[in-house]
Amino acid sequence: MRVTLLYCLCLLVLNGCGQKGPLKLPQKETLSYTTKMSTSLTIGVVPFKKEENHV
Amino acid sequence: MSNFEYQNGQLMAEKCTLSSIATTYGTPTFVYSKSAIEQAYMNYANALGEHSGMICYAVKANSNIAVLQVLAKCGAGFDIVSKGELQRVLKAGGDPARIIFSGVGKTTAEMVFAIRAGIACFNVESHAEIARLAAAAATAGINAPVSLRVNPNVDAKTHPYISTGLKENKFGIDILHALEVYQYAKTFETLDIVGVDCHIGSQLTDTTPFIDALDKVLELVDTLAKNDIHLKHIDLGGGIGVTYKDEVPPSISDYLASIKTKIAGRNLSLILEPGRSIVANAGVLLTEVEYLKPTEHKDFAIVDAAMNDNIRPALYQAWQDILPVKQNTHNNADNNTQPEAKNWDIVGPVCETGDFLGKDRTLALQQGDILAMMSAGAYGFVMSSNYNSRTRAAEVLIDKDKPYLVRKRETFDDLINGEQLLQHI
């Protein structure tokens, strides 16, 4: 039990838990956001198309 | 022969110049030829000949009451899909006994209204609708004539989405289950079973799928007869295509001849529900060039008609010809030369990237030119809207050399009709 708690504490310290200051987004996430924006803009200029069928 | 042809450089509608119509009534304006509507209807009526039956014009294609009046005078029946369409037909002088009520979502109120009006038949599309119609007939105190719309599952040889005869769509009852649905309908004393209906698609240029569907429907008619359900009519719906660009539609007389041969000796009346093929090429949409906007990549002619007036190009990427109402009549004040013919995208003022009437059209254009968007008689005005708070276009019907305003251009008061400001702020 003590070993487990110590292990978790070490993980928190190593991962910057309790770190002050501005949150830094990982580079990968920023790229992902850019990609989404690009996709959204592309959809915006593609004309809506539907097949014609009057029944 | 088309009812819209050039004479002495002027595009005519019957004996009227379209340029004069634009001057008198403004733009955008839909212009219909009475003669073209009558000719298209009579093609069907003459092909039906002495055979018992009705040509029921599909009101959804163009529901202006003057257009309906012209067809009613010709003796047409009508295919309707709502109470509103029924009221239009009655207002136009249509005979209720020649009206077929189609559509998958009829309300009880619509059913009762139609039964009391004395329409010829309901095309019914589901178990639930049968039960509702039986109850509506009981409410009206009049039996309802019923035809079941069956889905013969025939590939209409067009795009899958155009083939309403296929199993994957909401329309019709699978023909394999039709017998049990007819037997269910027969259990209601307030329903009179009179026919069978099918409709396999829209803008079809080959009659083979229609004949394939007819074969399947006739098999069903025989099966029903063996089960003591005897039908009086078959309704093959609409769907015959027209020429927008280079399509070659089938001959109406050949089509009807094929059908009549198939049903010869069967004592079955024949009903057809053409819409587009009656009115599409009986109408044009007039529009004025507001601005020319050449750019590095595209040259745009911005006109005063838009997707709200004719949504077919934007919605379906449909192609309709666009012609100047006057040929070679530009006068350039500086050197008296004609503008150079260029490829223009003809676009409207609506704030949508998809707002276009035609792309890459080779035209010699100047600001102020009047253009005619051809084949605009079907699914044009009826699908128009007030998007971008644009008032809807005027409609003019030409009878020989006389134009008649059959729908005035909307005004701002029309635009906000029914809207209310808040009184407490």
Side-chain angles (χ1 to χ4, degrees), chain A residues 43-55, chain B residues 60 161-162 164 171 202 276 312 314-317 379:
Chain A
I43 289 168
V45 297
V46 173
F48 173 65
K49 184 177 182 299
K50 193 177 190 323
E51 299 299 334
E52 180 166 21
N53 189 13
H54 308 282
V55 294
Chain B
K60 58 182 170 286
Y161 291 109
I162 292 184
T164 57
F171 300 101
S202 194
R276 189 195 309 267
R312 292 188 69 252
L315 187 58
Y316 309 125
Q317 295 187 358
Y379 304 108

Side-chain angles (χ1 to χ4, degrees), chain B residues 339-391:
Chain B
E340 185 186 354
K342 296 169 68 174
N343 279 356
W344 297 97
D345 277 10
I346 313 296
V347 301
V350 163
C351 297
E352 296 275 341
T353 53
D355 177 26
F356 71 96
L357 300 182
K359 291 184 175 176
D360 289 323
R361 304 305 174 90
T362 306
L363 292 162
L365 293 180
Q366 280 186 348
Q367 191 170 303
D369 283 353
I370 305 294
L371 302 175
M373 186 170 202
M374 309 304 288
S375 310
Y379 304 108
F381 184 90
V382 285
M383 295 182 78
S384 66
S385 76
N386 292 121
Y387 186 43
N388 276 204
S389 283
R390 287 168 51 82
T391 53

Side-chain angles (χ1 to χ4, degrees), chain A residues 25-53:
Chain A
L25 287 173
Q27 185 65 16
K28 184 181 171 187
E29 199 163 329
T30 304
L31 282 171
S32 170
Y33 178 67
T34 306
T35 306
K36 281 180 188 170
M37 282 294 286
S38 170
T39 305
S40 173
L41 286 171
T42 303
I43 289 168
V45 297
V46 173
F48 173 65
K49 184 177 182 299
K50 193 177 190 323
E51 299 299 334
E52 180 166 21
N53 189 13

Side-chain angles (χ1 to χ4, degrees), chain B residues 45-351:
Chain B
N46 291 335
L48 182 62
E50 296 300 312
H51 194 97
S52 168
M54 295 190 290
I55 305 302
C56 293
Y57 167 68
V59 174
K60 58 182 170 286
N62 184 327
S63 59
N64 184 288
I65 56 174
V67 170
L68 303 181
Q69 181 189 21
V70 169
L71 289 162
K73 286 277 183 190
C74 290
F78 296 91
D79 167 44
I80 59 160
V81 294
S82 70
K83 180 183 174 184
E85 287 192 351
L86 173 52
Q87 289 172 305
R88 282 176 175 275
V89 172
L90 298 177
K91 176 83 175 173
D95 179 358
R98 296 172 71 77
I99 295 175
I100 304 289
F101 199 157
S102 302
V104 293
K106 306 174 195 77
T107 66
T108 299
E110 286 179 314
M111 289 172 170
V112 171
F113 184 87
I115 292 167
R116 288 183 172 152
I119 70 163
C121 188
F122 289 85
N123 286 338
V124 171
E125 306 217 14
S126 65
H127 269 89
E129 191 185 341
I130 289 169
R132 178 179 286 190
L133 183 59
T139 301
I142 304 167
N143 270 23
V146 175
S147 167
L148 294 195
R149 177 174 175 167
V150 298
N151 182 344
N153 199 30
V154 170
D155 185 343
K157 293 183 179 172
T158 59
H159 193 285
Y161 291 109
I162 292 184
S163 307
T164 57
L166 294 177
K167 286 180 177 176
E168 294 85 9
N169 66 56
K170 68 181 177 181
F171 300 101
I173 295 160
D174 190 332
I175 199 164
L176 298 174
H177 302 133
L179 173 60
E180 63 194 73
V181 182
Y182 270 100
Q183 288 171 327
Y184 174 66
K186 198 180 175 186
T187 63
F188 293 95
E189 289 184 356
T190 55
L191 300 182
D192 296 332
I193 297 170
V194 295
V196 60
D197 165 49
C198 74
H199 182 102
I200 58 170
S202 194
Q203 180 58 9
L204 308 182
T205 53
D206 178 6
T207 59
T208 309
F210 290 104
I211 302 304
D212 291 347
L214 175 57
D215 285 336
K216 292 193 175 188
V217 167
L218 290 176
E219 281 177 27
L220 173 63
V221 170
D222 292 338
T223 302
L224 292 171
K226 287 174 190 165
N227 287 271
D228 202 26
I229 296 172
H230 303 281
L231 303 186
K232 296 176 182 172
H233 78 246
I234 56 169
D235 178 344
L236 289 180
I240 290 288
V242 301
T243 302
Y244 283 109
K245 189 176 187 180
D246 49 13
E247 304 92 332
V248 181
S251 145
I252 303 299
S253 58
D254 290 351
Y255 172 49
L256 268 288
S258 302
I259 297 171
K260 288 197 289 188
T261 301
K262 285 272 181 188
I263 63 175
R266 281 180 170 270
N267 199 26
L268 283 169
S269 293
L270 175 63
I271 295 174
L272 296 176
E273 300 169 354
R276 189 195 309 267
S277 55
I278 300 285
V279 289
N281 283 317
V284 302
L285 171 60
L286 297 181
T287 184
E288 179 174 344
V289 177
E290 293 284 349
Y291 302 99
L292 295 179
K293 183 179 177 182
T295 74
E296 188 180 347
H297 302 290
K298 277 274 183 188
D299 293 331
F300 297 100
I302 301 164
V303 298
D304 64 0
M307 64 188 293
N308 76 295
D309 299 301
N310 181 9
I311 202 170
R312 292 188 69 252
L315 187 58
Y316 309 125
Q317 295 187 358
W319 190 96
Q320 291 174 232
D321 206 0
I322 297 174
L323 301 173
V325 300
K326 291 182 185 176
Q327 291 176 314
N328 305 319
T329 53
H330 296 104
N331 280 315
N332 186 314
D334 296 331
N335 54 16
N336 200 31
T337 57
Q338 297 293 319
E340 185 186 354
K342 296 169 68 174
N343 279 356
W344 297 97
D345 277 10
I346 313 296
V347 301
V350 163
C351 297

